[in-house]
C-alpha cells in the first residue's frame, strides 16, 4: 500500500495514514510525547477553535476527535469551516494562473485595508476577490468612512479647543458586535461596528457644529461623538490594529488635534484601473 501513507519506523509492512501523522501535530507541536508543555494550551479550561477549509472538514470533525477520544484527551470546542477565496468565480489554482500576489494588493491599499476588505466577505461561503472590490471597500468604508470621520471630528475638536478625554482602558463591548464575533461572522461584526460611525456623521451634518464651535452644546455633542469614535477604534483593533491604536493614541492626548488622513483617497482614474 505504498504511496498513500508513511511507513512505520522499524516495520515496513505497516503504513500510517498521512492524516493521522498530520493531525497529531496540533498537540505534538506543543510538546505532547516529549514534555508536559502541551497541557498549558490543550486542556479543558482553554477554548480550542479549529479554523479549517471546507475541503478538509471530515478529517478535523471525524478522524481527529476519534484520535483524541481514543487517547482520553480533550476535544476541540469549536470547528469553524470557511469557504474558498475565488477570483471571478473560479477557484484559485496554478493551472489557471490566477494566483493572487498579496504584495500587489498591499501596494495601492495597505495591509490593513486588504485585511479589512477580505474580512468583509462572508467567512462561511466562497468569497470572490478582485482588486476592484478592494478599491470599493477602501474608498467607501475606509477613506470616506472611518478615516474621514476621524479626521473631520478631531478637526472640529481642535477648533473647539476640546481637551483630550479621560478614557477608560476598554469600553463596553457592543452587544451586536459581540454576538457576531462569537459566531465568527466577522463580516457582520464589521457592519455592526460601522453603524455608530454612520450615526456620528449624520449627527455632525444635522447639528452643524462649526457654526457655533465654542458653544456648550457643541462641546457636549463633540464629547459624545468622540466617545463613539473611541468605542469604534477600540473594537476595530482585531481587524485593523495599527489604525485602531493610532486613533486611540490621539484621543488620549491632553488636547485633541486634527488627525491626518488615515486612508488617503485614491484618484478616481487610479481606482478605476484597480
Amino acid at each position: 500500500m505504498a504511496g498513500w501513507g508513511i511507513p512505520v519506523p522499524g516495520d515496513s509492512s505497516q503504513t500510517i495514514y498521512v492524516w493521522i501523522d498530520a493531525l497529531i501535530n496540533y498537540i505534538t507541536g506543543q510538546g505532547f510525547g516529549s514534555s508536559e508543555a502541551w497541557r498549558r494550551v490543550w486542556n479543558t479550561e482553554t477554548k480550542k477553535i479549529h479554523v479549517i477549509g471546507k475541503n478538509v472538514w471530515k478529517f478535523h470533525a471525524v478522524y481527529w476527535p476519534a484520535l483524541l477520544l481514543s487517547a482520553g484527551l480533550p476535544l476541540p470546542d469549536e470547528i469553524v469551516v470557511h469557504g474558498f477565496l475565488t477570483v471571478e468565480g473560479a477557484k484559485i489554482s496554478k493551472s489557471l494562473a490566477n494566483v493572487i500576489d498579496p504584495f500587489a494588493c498591499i501596494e495601492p491599499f495597505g495591509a490593513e485595508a486588504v485585511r479589512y476588505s477580505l474580512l468583509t466577505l462572508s467567512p462561511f461561503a466562497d468569497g470572490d476577490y478582485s482588486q476592484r472590490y478592494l478599491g470599493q471597500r477602501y474608498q467607501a468604508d475606509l477613506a470616506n468612512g472611518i478615516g474621514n470621520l476621524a479626521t473631520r471630528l478631531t478637526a472640529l475638536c481642535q477648533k473647539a479647543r476640546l481637551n483630550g478625554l479621560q478614557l477608560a482602558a476598554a469600553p463596553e463591548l457592543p452587544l451586536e458586535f459581540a454576538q457576531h464575533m462569537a459566531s465568527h461572522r466577522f463580516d457582520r461584526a464589521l457592519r455592526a461596528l460601522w453603524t455608530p460611525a454612520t450615526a456620528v456623521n449624520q449627527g455632525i451634518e444635522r447639528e452643524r457644529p462649526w457654526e457655533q464651535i465654542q458653544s456648550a452644546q457643541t462641546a457636549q455633542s463633540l464629547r459624545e461623538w468622540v466617545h463613539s469614535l473611541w468605542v469604534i477604534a477600540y473594537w476595530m483593533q482585531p481587524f485593523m490594529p495599527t489604525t485602531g491604536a493610532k486613533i486611540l493614541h490621539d484621543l488620549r492626548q491632553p488636547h485633541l488635534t486634527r488627525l491626518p488622513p488615515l486612508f488617503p483617497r485614491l484618484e478616481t482614474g487610479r481606482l478605476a484601473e484597480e
Side-chain angles (χ1 to χ4, degrees), residues 41-62:
V41 293
W42 199 276
N43 53 63
T44 55
E45 288 74 34
T46 302
K47 188 170 184 178
K48 301 169 291 299
I49 302 174
H50 281 328
V51 181
I52 60 174
K54 65 180 183 179
N55 58 325
V56 294
W57 71 267
K58 179 175 67 175
F59 309 104
H60 292 78
V62 179

Side-chain angles (χ1 to χ4, degrees), residues 69-131:
L69 287 171
S70 69
L73 296 173
L75 300 179
D77 298 281
E78 294 183 39
I79 300 176
V80 179
V81 183
H82 63 77
F84 292 143
L85 192 63
T86 61
V87 174
E88 297 181 356
K91 184 178 178 180
I92 298 173
S93 69
K94 293 180 180 178
S95 59
L96 294 176
N98 63 350
V99 176
I100 300 170
D101 179 358
F103 296 104
C105 302
I106 292 171
E107 190 279 324
F109 303 115
E112 297 220 334
V114 172
R115 184 189 303 115
Y116 165 81
S117 298
L118 293 177
L119 286 168
T120 61
L121 299 171
S122 171
F124 301 125
D126 290 347
D128 204 47
Y129 160 88
S130 70
Q131 285 283 79

Side-chain angles (χ1 to χ4, degrees), residues 65-204:
L67 290 172
L68 292 170
L69 287 171
S70 69
L73 296 173
L75 300 179
D77 298 281
E78 294 183 39
I79 300 176
V80 179
V81 183
H82 63 77
F84 292 143
L85 192 63
T86 61
V87 174
E88 297 181 356
K91 184 178 178 180
I92 298 173
S93 69
K94 293 180 180 178
S95 59
L96 294 176
N98 63 350
V99 176
I100 300 170
D101 179 358
F103 296 104
C105 302
I106 292 171
E107 190 279 324
F109 303 115
E112 297 220 334
V114 172
R115 184 189 303 115
Y116 165 81
S117 298
L118 293 177
L119 286 168
T120 61
L121 299 171
S122 171
F124 301 125
D126 290 347
D128 204 47
Y129 160 88
S130 70
Q131 285 283 79
R132 182 174 295 277
Y133 177 80
L134 296 189
Q136 290 170 344
R137 294 277 63 79
Y138 179 94
Q139 289 287 80
D141 300 349
L142 303 180
N144 296 333
I146 187 65
N148 178 62
L149 173 61
T151 298
R152 183 187 195 189
L153 180 55
T154 52
L156 288 168
C157 291
Q158 181 175 340
K159 289 182 180 179
R161 300 187 179 90
L162 200 68
N163 292 332
L165 304 184
Q166 298 297 316
L167 301 174
E172 184 178 353
L173 183 62
L175 178 58
E176 185 180 1
F177 174 80
Q179 290 171 337
H180 291 316
M181 289 293 284
S183 61
H184 309 289
R185 287 306 305 257
F186 308 121
D187 54 331
R188 294 177 181 176
L190 281 166
R191 286 200 295 270
L193 201 58
W194 283 175
T195 298
T198 301
V200 171
N201 267 323
Q202 292 172 343
I204 293 174

Side-chain angles (χ1 to χ4, degrees), residues 1-8 12-19:
M1 297 296 292
W4 61 267
I6 300 169
V8 173
S12 59
S13 68
Q14 301 295 320
T15 304
I16 302 173
Y17 185 39
V18 290
W19 274 98

